[in-house]
Amino acid sequence: MAHETVEKTPVTLLGLGAMGAALARAWLAAGHPLTVWNRTPARAAAISAEGAKVANSAAEAVAANTLVVVCLLDDASVEEVLAGADLAGRDLVNLTTGTPAQARARADWARERGARYLDGGIMAVPPMIGVPDAGGYVFYSGSRELFERHRETLAVPAGTTYVGPDAGFAALHDVALLSAMYGMFAGAAHAFALIRREDIDPASLAPLLADWLVAMAPAVHQTADQLRSGDYTKGVVSTLAMQVAGTPSFLRTAEEQGVSPELLSPYFALMRRRLAEGSGDEDLTGVIDLLVR
């Protein structure tokens, strides 16, 4: 009995840093023919031993396949590496970390050279790539048709989430989520600093801290609902006025513990500004408007 063989889409990958190498191994493991190029040949040699074809130049790698994935250091590297390549007819997927404005400009740049363009923001670290249950995924924005055409191939290394035809939206979502992550890390850093000189095991605080952050996380849905409706008093449990009244205790505790308040003070200052505008019955959502210039 004859068995039908489904051919896997060939992929060209430019860039074999930690993330690029993880992407390469995921596609190879899934049976995708892979052509790679890297500025440092030694990295390409390691992937070659696992089954990838190594191109002598970026231009040669681009010429090898229609689907070209770029995972380089920064936006300037993308332009430099692709400067001598013929992009006409190519499906260019840019997974290089950049800004929304850079992504939009790069999309125009690619179209001028005859390429179709999709931008991506990777929400994962290399060990999560190619591991289905690890929770990693990639934001994609730009051509919806291009995304659908390669969705199955792009889903091999990590999950895929399409966020719109604006090429800058993947980078915007990426930075938005990572900004929230760093804000969380800042709060956690302050919490650990408060107990640093006490006879309290950080390992005992960690599960309490993790559970508390998880419990507070759903508040983002109320914030989104308030932003959408424009009613910042909707569903308020603890008003801005009440929360501002409590901030001196946080600052005094930091002083007593010999901890700098520099991670908390800017946010508290914004809360006081919003309260001074007469918004004491609101939630904390109004602070967002103070940030938007």
Side-chain angles (χ1 to χ4, degrees), residues 132-188:
D133 297 330
Y137 62 95
V138 181
F139 286 121
Y140 288 99
S141 61
S143 169
R144 180 73 193 229
E145 186 276 331
L146 184 58
F147 172 74
E148 295 297 342
R149 182 188 308 171
H150 296 296
R151 180 201 288 261
E152 186 175 339
T153 301
L154 296 175
V156 168
T160 61
T161 300
Y162 180 78
V163 290
D166 185 320
F169 277 8
L172 185 57
H173 279 73
D174 180 24
V175 173
L177 266 62
L178 291 176
S179 296
M181 177 193 75
Y182 281 115
M184 179 189 71
F185 286 167

Side-chain angles (χ1 to χ4, degrees), residues 81-169:
V81 166
L82 293 176
D86 182 3
L87 296 178
R90 295 294 178 263
D91 294 340
L92 182 62
V93 179
N94 185 12
L95 300 183
T96 303
T97 300
T99 70
Q102 287 174 331
R104 291 165 183 143
R106 190 59 55 202
D108 292 339
W109 177 90
R111 282 192 291 268
E112 289 170 0
R113 287 155 180 78
R116 295 167 290 271
Y117 185 86
L118 199 62
D119 203 78
I122 302 176
M123 300 304 298
V125 292
M128 299 170 71
I129 299 299
V131 183
D133 297 330
Y137 62 95
V138 181
F139 286 121
Y140 288 99
S141 61
S143 169
R144 180 73 193 229
E145 186 276 331
L146 184 58
F147 172 74
E148 295 297 342
R149 182 188 308 171
H150 296 296
R151 180 201 288 261
E152 186 175 339
T153 301
L154 296 175
V156 168
T160 61
T161 300
Y162 180 78
V163 290
D166 185 320
F169 277 8

Side-chain angles (χ1 to χ4, degrees), residues 8-90:
K8 299 294 183 72
T9 300
V11 180
T12 284
L13 175 62
L14 306 180
L16 294 170
M19 182 59 74
L23 294 169
R25 292 189 171 97
W27 276 312
L28 286 171
H32 287 266
L34 183 68
T35 300
V36 299
W37 174 87
N38 191 71
R39 194 186 305 272
T40 305
R43 290 181 179 173
I47 300 300
S48 173
E50 299 179 36
K53 178 182 177 181
V54 179
N56 293 319
S57 67
E60 180 183 309
V62 169
N65 299 303
T66 299
L67 178 57
V68 178
V69 179
V70 183
C71 188
L72 297 170
L73 177 64
D74 53 25
D75 182 67
S77 300
V78 174
E79 182 158 356
E80 179 185 350
V81 166
L82 293 176
D86 182 3
L87 296 178
R90 295 294 178 263

Side-chain angles (χ1 to χ4, degrees), residues 194-205:
L194 289 175
I195 69 161
R196 187 64 172 153
R197 294 174 178 170
E198 301 289 350
D199 187 18
I200 298 174
D201 185 353
S204 70
L205 181 68

